Amino acid sequence: MLFTPTRPEDDTRSDAPAIDPAFRADVLRGLGQADKAIPARWFYDMRGSQLFEAITQVSEYYPTRTETALLHDHAPAVAQTLGADATVVEFGSGSSIKTRILLKSMPRATYVPIDICGEFLDEACADLAALFPQLRIVPVEANFMNPVHLPVQRDGQAMLGFFPGSTIGNMTAAAAIDLLRSMRQTLGPKAHLLIGIDRVKDPQRLIAAYDDAQGVTALFNLNLLQRINRELGGTIPISEFRHVARWNENASRIEMHLEALRALRFEVAGQSFHMDGGETIHTENCHKYRPSEMRLLLAASGWNQLEHWTDPQEDFSLVLAGAESDRQTP
């Protein structure tokens, strides 16, 4: 991949967008904590979404190419289960690159992409419409962490949720269960879910995947500070931070942090903050799972694992699940 890194502060646009009150609240709360942390969902402004797509192309980042191969192999089986005219609801659609593989096997599908970045969503939908002229596309700009009202008919229609990229790994187990339950509520009681889940493996391979030699992941992480400065009137000295990726063995996860290189003072939305040298802002978790843990996670969320596909190296899993019927347990 040809990619020319630029520092986030090189973006000098003055057209500041309207302040998102949820973004402001999360940032101020997170920076005010003793252990500073900002939710990973705020990575994905237009620039962040573009940088994430670049990350998926670097040589160290195995999840995208492995999951893509699994989709090529098993999308026909998914289409056979759901039918070629199902409604496909993608949670956090991004550029919808992987979705194209699925839609080739479901030519009469209705596609409902849900994404928090409306600008990136519009761009991706335009690309898909050019590739699939007969495809009905119903985009929804929303935060999929909560139940989403779908502007499509659900009664009698086969519903398939699509959640690739092991995004479920960005959440703690409790938050992941809440999200999977929310997806079940969004999709309905007889829906299916196709989900990509990254697996536990050698920590050095994992660290390399989240701290690539080209520095694309570092730019992605640092872009969060640029967004804070641009949208919340921040004075964060971005050049005084560095990207850090760590393996947390006890929690079975990669952690991404932004580490202050020296003692700093800055303002965000009119409030002052201090950081010591070496102190970090925790920006993302990427939990990795074993097959037995995947089954338990889905079962706790009201989903029943129907199919489990993996690559020869067992690096990544693609799982098809069905919504459990509502029932009382003894």
Side-chain angles (χ1 to χ4, degrees):
M1 180 193 69
L2 179 63
F3 184 82
T4 304
T6 56
R7 291 288 297 181
E9 58 263 41
D10 290 343
D11 184 351
T12 57
R13 293 175 298 173
S14 60
D15 51 335
I19 294 175
D20 184 327
F23 179 44
R24 181 181 185 276
D26 278 350
V27 170
L28 294 181
R29 184 185 306 111
L31 293 177
Q33 298 171 170
D35 296 323
K36 293 177 171 54
I38 297 173
R41 65 178 173 273
W42 300 116
F43 279 136
Y44 298 98
D45 63 352
M46 185 63 175
R47 175 65 172 160
S49 296
Q50 292 170 339
L51 283 168
F52 181 75
E53 293 305 319
I55 288 170
T56 67
Q57 301 303 310
V58 302
S59 60
E60 299 95 328
Y61 195 78
Y62 63 87
T64 298
R65 60 178 174 270
T66 307
E67 185 178 33
T68 298
L70 288 169
L71 283 167
H72 277 296
D73 288 343
H74 302 293
V78 175
Q80 186 173 6
T81 299
L82 274 294
D85 58 352
T87 295
V88 177
V89 180
E90 185 168 5
F91 296 91
S93 54
S95 64
S96 302
I97 296 295
K98 295 171 189 170
T99 318
R100 301 173 190 183
I101 303 168
L102 186 60
L103 292 176
K104 285 180 181 178
S105 296
M106 305 174 75
R108 298 191 303 279
T110 295
Y111 177 53
V112 184
I114 303 173
D115 203 275
I116 198 170
C117 180
E119 185 179 1
F120 202 62
L121 181 65
D122 292 341
E123 188 176 288
C125 288
D127 290 342
L128 266 183
L131 287 171
F132 299 95
Q134 304 304 316
L135 181 68
R136 182 189 177 206
I137 305 175
V138 187
V140 177
E141 183 179 353
N143 178 4
F144 64 80
M145 297 299 294
N146 302 310
V148 177
H149 172 71
L150 300 180
V152 294
Q153 192 71 25
R154 288 195 316 185
D155 295 342
Q157 180 67 32
M159 303 290 293
L160 174 66
F162 187 39
F163 197 42
S166 198
T167 307
I168 197 69
N170 295 151
M171 299 147 214
T172 64
I177 289 170
D178 286 344
L179 175 59
L180 291 168
R181 287 174 176 168
S182 175
M183 289 177 172
R184 185 176 177 278
Q185 184 175 343
T186 295
L187 295 167
K190 297 182 179 179
H192 288 74
L193 178 67
L194 184 64
I195 182 170
I197 305 178
D198 200 7
R199 297 172 65 146
V200 174
K201 58 184 63 64
D202 175 43
Q204 292 307 310
R205 284 192 65 205
L206 290 168
I207 291 172
Y210 292 87
D211 193 11
D212 59 279
Q214 291 189 63
V216 184
T217 310
L219 286 175
F220 174 70
N221 203 5
L222 288 162
N223 181 68
L224 177 60
L225 301 182
Q226 172 64 20
R227 182 179 185 183
I228 291 170
N229 282 352
R230 184 177 66 250
E231 297 186 22
L232 301 179
T235 61
I236 300 172
I238 300 171
S239 62
E240 298 297 333
F241 283 84
R242 74 180 183 104
H243 163 71
V244 176
R246 302 172 180 166
W247 172 247
N248 184 327
E249 180 68 32
N250 291 334
S252 192
R253 72 190 185 198
I254 284 283
E255 297 178 356
M256 292 204 334
H257 294 257
L258 291 164
E259 180 182 10
L261 300 177
R262 61 176 177 84
L264 300 170
R265 291 189 182 276
F266 54 86
E267 291 189 357
V268 175
Q271 296 189 27
S272 297
F273 298 94
H274 171 268
M275 291 184 67
D276 294 326
E279 187 178 359
T280 72
I281 304 170
H282 190 168
T283 54
E284 186 174 45
N285 292 318
C286 301
H287 292 84
K288 309 304 173 183
Y289 287 88
R290 297 172 178 84
S292 60
E293 295 166 340
M294 298 176 199
R295 290 192 298 272
L296 287 172
L297 181 70
L298 289 165
S301 312
W303 295 95
N304 178 40
Q305 180 176 300
L306 302 176
E307 299 284 355
H308 177 204
W309 299 293
T310 190
D311 58 288
Q313 290 74 37
E314 298 186 344
D315 278 344
F316 198 92
S317 291
L318 184 66
V319 176
L320 179 66
E324 290 274 18
S325 59
D326 293 316
R327 64 179 186 272
Q328 295 292 325
T329 55

